Amino acid sequence: MAATFTIFALFTTLSCFCLISIEAGGSATPGFGTDLIHRDSPRSPFYNPSRTRSDRLHAAFRRSVSRASRFSFNQPSDIQSDLTSGSGEYLMKISIGSPPVNNLAIADTGSDLTWIQCQPCTNCYKQNYPYFDPKKSSTYKTLSCDAKPCVALRDDGTSSCDNNSCSYSISYGDQSTSGGDVAEETFTFGSTTGGSAVVPKVTFGCGHDNQGTFNESSSGIVGLGGGAASLVRQLERSISGKFSYCLVPLDNPPTVSSKINFGSNAVVSGPGVVSTPLVSKSPATFYYVTLESLTVGSKSISFKKSKVDGDGEAAEEGNIIIDSGTTLTLLPQSIYDNLESALIAAIKGKRVSDPQNLFTLCYQSTGDLKVPPITAHFTGADIVLLPTSTFLEVEVGITCLTMIPTSLDLAIWGNLSQMDFLIGYDLVKQEVFFKPTDCSKQ
């Protein structure tokens, strides 16, 4: 994506019996969190009961490929939020403005600047919720050109000035665009203490001209990436640079939600925890890590570069990004080919074709189909993936490998490969932590 931002967002008010105030950029606080609800879950307001499980899965898989193309580029207390699952994306409860406006937001680690569709809409796509009206909020404030957030956005080519008013313009790799005013507003999140965490003066984009492939269920973008404009960077001092999430597998009951936490509750510790360094690369939005190899049984598939004179070089640092908004894991073609060959040799089953022509390794689903575990070897962290995440019944009677090849320069570790792991990001220590766990009990 040309502007290195990607994700759509909707916001919702959370009932609160007590309010906690968090200063964006303020001193460290206990943290906050909420549920993450999969967009295709019956708990999601966008759930369509007429669509089959296969319909929903394939829509999510197609979005993985589309999303990858977008990535192409030549304060107060504990905050916790539910993540509602949907079409491979996770909706986060949140609210904006004073008084707060109800909505949902897709949480994404591959985006920085948060923006929503705002009145007056000169060119807005259709959405299910009313457009945000800044005139009805007592805490809305547009930023001047010399404001620090505007200067920071201008440095990466996102913002510009007109009559000393800061504006933004973003173009995505799939030709979608958003433009409008850069402003400050109050955001409200659910809290693990049972109340609400109020965060004033969050920099975001108030979009008046937005078009492209955006979905009606989304009213904008919420950024949890590593760039300076992202929500986690704005809250970095208040949350000590920490956030974590735990994604439940797709087949869990609809009453079970994934969780996202910020601050002290986001610390990942205890038995079984492993960590790998975050690698600083451009663009800063993405969370780059180094995947050294994959193992299938005793067969190792190396990411290391080969040398003509013998020994292989180390794997390129930061050769893959962790992305919560992409469903599938996308691997370089040569690595994928070796992985597929190792799996074919290990699996005893009848191979079949994917009717949707997306997956290249599929088997007839039978009760005795046994798939070997795949171990991902990141620098300093070995992670054994769940067979239920690496192979998924995409249609009745057809089970496919949920890793696919990509011709793009950017490899992506998708959210299916992250399920039933508590994954923590520490932007101060520059590390990502993994802990195998039952996310339905978090």
Side-chain angles (χ1 to χ4, degrees), residues 185-363:
E185 185 54 285
T186 295
F187 282 63
T188 304
F189 304 85
S191 171
T192 52
T193 60
S196 293
V198 180
V199 186
K201 298 182 179 180
V202 174
T203 300
F204 79 112
C206 198
H208 304 296
D209 187 351
N210 320 295
Q211 55 188 319
T213 60
F214 302 116
N215 188 283
E216 291 182 6
S217 64
S218 304
S219 62
I221 289 177
V222 164
L224 298 175
S230 77
L231 181 64
V232 291
R233 285 297 188 185
Q234 291 188 60
L235 297 178
E236 186 168 358
R237 289 180 61 189
S238 297
I239 63 175
S240 300
K242 297 179 178 65
F243 73 99
S244 67
Y245 54 78
C246 205
L247 306 180
V248 300
L250 297 179
D251 291 332
N252 266 261
T255 54
V256 178
S257 292
S258 303
K259 302 289 183 182
I260 184 168
N261 284 282
F262 300 84
S264 60
N265 278 9
V267 175
V268 179
S269 61
V273 174
V274 294
S275 67
T276 190
L278 282 169
V279 179
S280 297
K281 295 181 69 172
S282 180
T285 303
F286 305 134
Y287 295 111
Y288 298 90
V289 292
T290 304
L291 183 58
E292 297 180 341
S293 64
L294 296 168
T295 299
V296 178
S298 60
K299 175 67 174 178
S300 178
I301 298 97
S302 176
F303 274 61
K304 296 179 180 179
K305 301 175 183 178
S306 60
K307 288 177 63 177
V308 176
D309 59 355
D311 295 336
E313 298 177 359
E316 178 187 357
E317 286 195 342
N319 57 13
I320 193 166
I321 67 168
I322 300 180
D323 181 36
S324 65
T326 301
T327 304
L328 304 175
T329 288
L330 282 68
L331 299 173
Q333 184 71 58
S334 60
I335 304 300
Y336 175 83
D337 289 343
N338 290 334
L339 173 65
E340 184 179 277
S341 296
L343 289 167
I344 291 172
I347 298 174
K348 309 303 178 185
K350 182 180 179 181
R351 290 189 62 186
V352 294
S353 298
D354 170 26
Q356 302 290 333
N357 294 317
L358 175 61
F359 302 101
T360 61
L361 184 58
C362 299
Y363 290 89

